[in-house]
Amino acid sequence: MVAAIGLDLPTVRRLAIARAGLWRPEPTGLRERARRGEEAARSDAQAIIDRFGYLQLDTVAVAGARSHAIVLLSRLEGFSAELAEALLRPGAPLFEYWGHEVSWIPHDLYPAFAFRRRAFKTHPWWGDVLGQHPKLTRQILRRIEVEGPLRSADLEGSSSAGWWNLKLTKKIATALWSAGELAIASRSSFLRTFDLTSRVLPSAVRRRSLDDGAALRTLLLRALAGHGWATTGTLASTWRLRNLRPAIKAALAELVEAGEVVPATLVGDEGREKQGWVRPEDLELAAGLRRRRPRRDRGVLLSPFDPLLWDRGRVLELFGFEQVLEIFKPAAQRVYGYYCMPVLAADRLIARVDLKADRREGTLRVLALHRERSQGDRKVDRVAVDHALKRYAAAVGLRLVGP
């Protein structure tokens, strides 16, 4: 086994920010501002999705935009929140599937999820719903084949309130999508349109195959490209890879042998060590980041589901920041707020804000602002928070109210 390289905490933190596309000024390898014109802006957004291998979708729009839009807005100044909702369309180099969660994923990773499509022939929540209702399954497939794409809202049947009481036809359509027989052709107002996979994905994408070992190596390497440095647990969680520990260990060993991954130990406070991995090219980037002075006054708001933030243990390790998601807590039990968005400035998470948009009034109201205990210039931090709020309000086209 190759001896592990030691990396200190500030280096790993800066590398994580740079690979997340959030280091300012460069280098992130990504554009800082969206280009003019829809097609150019789409290409800029695609580059971000390519970096991580996924753009996680979420329904909550209380802050004026949904998470997938916020992830793009935080990296591409001048990008349109409306365009972020319409990235998946016929001909787009994306497909929707179970990645980190339900995500838009680049075409090149479609072959890597064959193992999941096989596993999801039996749906992970509803069991063998396709086998239990073969006639209705055939009818839905035939209807889409003959009539064309079908919106989820148009599926027949009755449904009571709640995710677990979905009408049967919608359950079957979703199960067919999970199994790979249907695909999501587009979304409009966040509603899915189902179509035959053969009509959504190009044949070159569908026909390319990877064995399970190659698929696992592909996914682990793409996850590492987005994180910079990461533990095995973080890499597995990026794609929700469960009960695959021996296979993951073997895949990482093969990547090390091929020279695509290097073992790297994070040396944290008080000499604590944590084993992880890094790509050789990112070691060069990390060395350069040690010498760079980041912009401290240009804060940016992050979605609570941002790729930099969803691994809460990693966020605590790298930033000393306790990332909290309180959407599912009763209001009286919330400490920071319903949809709390951290503020990143330079290489620190300096505050968190709870926002609520009102489109009828055209306002974005700051319900709460909590500043972290300052480790730097408080005046500079205040300027950074102010910049982050104003930039975000402009991005979603609302007038900022408060704090």
Side-chain angles (χ1 to χ4, degrees):
M1 187 71 174
V2 177
I5 293 170
L7 296 173
D8 61 34
L9 185 58
T11 297
V12 169
R13 182 168 55 241
R14 288 185 170 198
L15 179 60
I17 295 167
R19 290 307 299 171
L22 291 164
W23 184 268
R24 295 293 180 265
E26 289 279 5
T28 66
L30 300 169
R31 298 185 66 87
E32 294 186 27
R33 187 169 188 85
R35 289 174 291 177
R36 292 185 178 181
E38 180 178 325
E39 294 308 313
R42 284 179 176 274
S43 179
D44 295 338
Q46 183 71 35
I48 293 170
I49 301 172
D50 287 342
R51 167 68 58 86
F52 298 110
Y54 66 93
L55 181 62
Q56 180 182 341
L57 305 181
D58 190 73
T59 60
V60 178
V62 68
R66 295 184 176 91
S67 177
H68 43 286
I70 298 171
V71 169
L72 299 174
L73 297 176
S74 65
R75 289 155 173 83
L76 280 174
E77 196 162 3
F79 191 73
S80 163
E82 290 75 20
L83 181 56
E85 295 291 338
L87 290 177
L88 187 68
R89 63 173 183 175
L94 297 170
F95 68 101
E96 184 171 320
Y97 197 59
W98 299 101
H100 176 68
E101 297 290 349
V102 175
S103 304
W104 289 338
I105 302 172
H107 275 177
D108 70 291
L109 289 182
Y110 184 80
F113 285 98
F115 77 96
R116 183 158 289 163
R117 293 189 291 273
R118 291 197 305 271
F120 283 6
K121 295 289 184 184
T122 299
H123 197 274
W125 300 329
W126 305 319
D128 189 20
V129 66
L130 302 180
Q132 293 166 0
H133 303 279
K135 183 177 180 181
L136 185 54
T137 297
R138 290 193 299 270
Q139 289 175 343
I140 291 172
L141 285 170
R142 180 60 178 167
R143 180 180 174 188
I144 292 174
E145 180 184 6
V146 173
E147 298 180 17
L150 188 66
R151 297 186 308 161
S152 57
D154 295 333
L155 292 166
E156 295 175 358
S158 61
S159 174
S160 57
W163 174 253
W164 298 108
N165 294 310
L166 284 170
K167 51 193 172 184
L168 181 57
T169 51
K170 191 170 182 179
K171 277 187 178 180
I172 290 174
T174 303
L176 286 167
W177 163 70
S178 297
E181 295 189 52
L182 292 180
I184 309 302
S186 63
R187 277 188 183 259
S188 177
S189 301
F190 211 63
L191 290 175
R192 292 166 163 172
T193 297
F194 293 95
D195 200 356
L196 301 179
T197 301
S198 60
R199 294 201 296 230
V200 174
L201 288 162
S203 59
V205 172
R206 290 183 285 109
R207 292 173 182 171
R208 182 169 169 253
S209 64
L210 293 174
D211 61 45
D212 286 355
L216 197 52
R217 292 193 297 275
T218 296
L219 292 175
L220 293 172
L221 198 58
R222 183 64 68 90
L224 195 57
H227 292 302
W229 173 92
T231 64
T232 301
T234 294
L235 296 179
S237 294
T238 303
W239 305 114
R240 302 298 189 223
L241 301 172
R242 298 185 174 95
N243 303 317
L244 292 172
R245 185 174 297 179
I248 291 172
K249 182 178 179 181
L252 286 167
E254 290 173 15
L255 289 170
V256 170
E257 185 176 357
E260 296 183 86
V261 167
V262 176
T265 301
L266 169 61
V267 182
D269 296 336
E270 300 176 356
R272 290 176 299 179
E273 295 186 352
K274 181 164 286 189
Q275 302 302 313
W277 312 91
V278 69
R279 301 184 309 160
E281 56 265 47
D282 287 336
L283 287 174
E284 298 179 19
L285 173 59
L289 289 169
R290 293 192 193 101
R291 300 186 294 270
R292 290 180 177 265
R293 294 179 62 85
R295 288 289 300 267
R296 297 174 54 202
D297 60 341
R298 298 286 297 265
V300 63
L301 285 174
L302 301 181
S303 161
F305 304 106
D306 193 278
L308 189 67
L309 296 178
W310 56 254
D311 188 332
R312 299 179 195 178
R314 173 182 168 86
V315 175
L316 185 61
E317 182 91 43
L318 298 190
F319 294 92
F321 183 93
E322 189 175 358
Q323 168 64 2
V324 178
L325 185 64
E326 299 183 295
I327 289 176
F328 303 108
K329 287 184 179 181
Q333 296 179 18
R334 294 176 196 142
V335 176
Y336 300 110
Y338 176 79
Y339 198 81
C340 200
M341 300 171 65
V343 180
L344 176 71
D347 57 358
R348 294 186 297 123
L349 292 167
I350 63 171
R352 56 188 103 204
V353 295
D354 186 31
L355 301 176
K356 185 172 183 179
D358 189 322
R359 287 287 174 187
R360 286 180 297 180
E361 293 184 359
T363 59
L364 180 68
R365 188 171 299 277
V366 180
L367 301 180
L369 168 58
H370 297 269
R371 301 181 191 275
E372 293 295 291
R373 187 174 299 173
S374 180
Q375 297 175 353
D377 188 316
R378 292 184 180 182
K379 182 178 180 180
V380 173
D381 284 356
R382 285 196 297 271
V383 170
V385 172
D386 187 56
H387 177 272
L389 287 167
K390 289 178 178 177
R391 170 177 164 172
Y392 180 75
V396 295
L398 295 171
R399 176 172 54 87
L400 188 64
V401 179

